[in-house]
Amino acid sequence: MNINLTEKQQEIFDELLERYPKLLAVSPAILRAYGILERCFEGGGTLFVAGNGGSCADAEHIVGELMKGFVKRRPLSPELRQRLAACDDGRGHGVQLAEKLQGSLRAIALTGHPGLSTAFLNDVDGDMVFAQQVMGYGRPGDVFLGISTSGNSKNVDYAVTAAKAAGLSVIGLTGRDGGILGQRADAAVIVPEQETFKIQELHLPVYHALCLMLEEKFFAE
C-alpha cells in the first residue's frame, strides 16, 4: 500500500517514534494501519472498535477522538451550516448547532451497547457479541479494529472472522507475540512489550498518533 504523508503527518509520526523509540520496530505496521483507515474514511466507511477491560476503555477513547475535534475545531461545511440554520424553528437551535457541532470520522465502539450485548449473551453466546454487531453494522470498505494485549481474546477473534466474511479490513492492536490477532489482521501493530499494563501504555500513543494523522488528513482547521 502506497502511503503519502503530508509534512505535518510525517511530523506527527516522527514525534511518535522519537518519544517512544520502542515503536520503531513496528513503524511499518503503524503506517499500514493508517493507510487502511485513510482508505476507509475516504470511501465514507465506518470504523468499528472492540476490546475487553482496559482495551474496552481504549476502544471508547479512540471513538471519542475520531467523532469530534481532537486538536482541531473541525467546523462544519458552510453548506451544512446553512441547512442547520434553515431548520431553525425560531428558538435558535439551528444556529447554535451550526456554530457548535463538529466534523466527524465515522467510528463506533462495539463495547457500548449494553442492551444488545446482554440480550445476545443471555439468549445466544456472549463470546459472539462483537461478531454479531460486525455482521449487523459492517459493510465492505469498513474496518474492524480489534484490541487485545495477548492477541487471543476469543470475542475479538470471532469478530475478526465476521469482519473478513463481511468484506471488512482488520487492524489488530496487540502485544507479546501478537497471538491469533497478530496472525489474522491485515495490519497488526504488535507493540514490543510482554506485560499487559506495559502493552496498554504503548497502545495509547499509537492510536493517538493515528487519530492525529487522520484529523490532519480530513480536516483543514
Side-chain angles (χ1 to χ4, degrees):
M1 182 185 298
N2 240 347
I3 303 165
N4 297 312
L5 300 181
T6 65
E7 183 177 344
K8 180 59 179 176
Q9 287 177 313
Q10 190 66 53
E11 286 178 14
I12 294 167
F13 187 64
D14 291 344
E15 183 182 5
L16 171 69
L17 301 182
E18 182 180 340
R19 294 178 63 202
Y20 301 93
K22 281 190 172 184
L23 294 174
L24 186 61
V26 295
S27 58
I30 297 172
L31 287 176
R32 281 196 298 275
Y34 171 77
I36 290 171
L37 292 169
E38 181 186 274
R39 185 175 59 194
C40 168
F41 291 128
E42 279 184 331
T46 303
L47 170 67
F48 303 100
V49 197
N52 302 291
S55 298
C56 167
D58 285 330
E60 297 282 357
H61 190 162
I62 291 167
V63 170
E65 309 296 21
L66 294 174
M67 285 289 292
K68 58 172 287 297
F70 186 7
V71 299
K72 295 188 174 189
R73 287 185 58 250
R74 301 192 193 177
L76 300 180
S77 69
E79 295 79 14
L80 185 50
R81 289 165 62 91
Q82 288 175 5
R83 291 204 300 273
L84 283 166
C87 289
D88 203 314
D89 61 359
R91 293 178 297 160
H93 285 188
V95 173
Q96 291 175 32
L97 289 167
E99 290 176 352
K100 295 181 179 179
L101 292 185
Q102 300 177 331
S104 296
L105 294 171
R106 293 166 52 132
I108 298 174
L110 303 181
T111 54
H113 307 116
L116 169 61
S117 297
T118 53
F120 201 82
L121 183 154
N122 187 62
D123 299 342
V124 188
D125 188 332
D127 286 333
M128 299 182 182
V129 167
F130 296 154
Q132 176 64 30
Q133 293 180 83
V134 167
M135 290 303 291
Y137 291 130
R139 297 292 181 268
D142 293 340
V143 174
F144 172 68
L145 169 55
I147 310 174
S148 170
T149 57
S150 69
N152 295 316
S153 300
K154 192 173 183 180
N155 53 1
V156 172
D157 190 39
Y158 277 131
V160 170
T161 299
K164 287 178 174 289
L168 281 69
S169 297
V170 175
I171 297 172
L173 195 53
T174 183
R176 299 177 191 164
D177 65 356
I180 297 170
L181 180 59
Q183 298 171 24
R184 303 190 69 199
D186 299 301
V189 181
I190 307 169
V191 301
E193 285 290 359
Q194 299 298 314
E195 295 180 81
T196 296
F197 75 95
K198 292 181 180 179
I199 295 169
Q200 291 169 335
E201 287 173 354
L202 287 180
H203 281 178
L204 186 145
V206 169
Y207 66 69
H208 265 175
L210 290 172
C211 291
L212 286 167
M213 291 164 70
L214 289 165
E215 187 173 66
E216 185 63 31
K217 166 69 178 180
F218 291 100
F219 300 98
E221 295 184 26

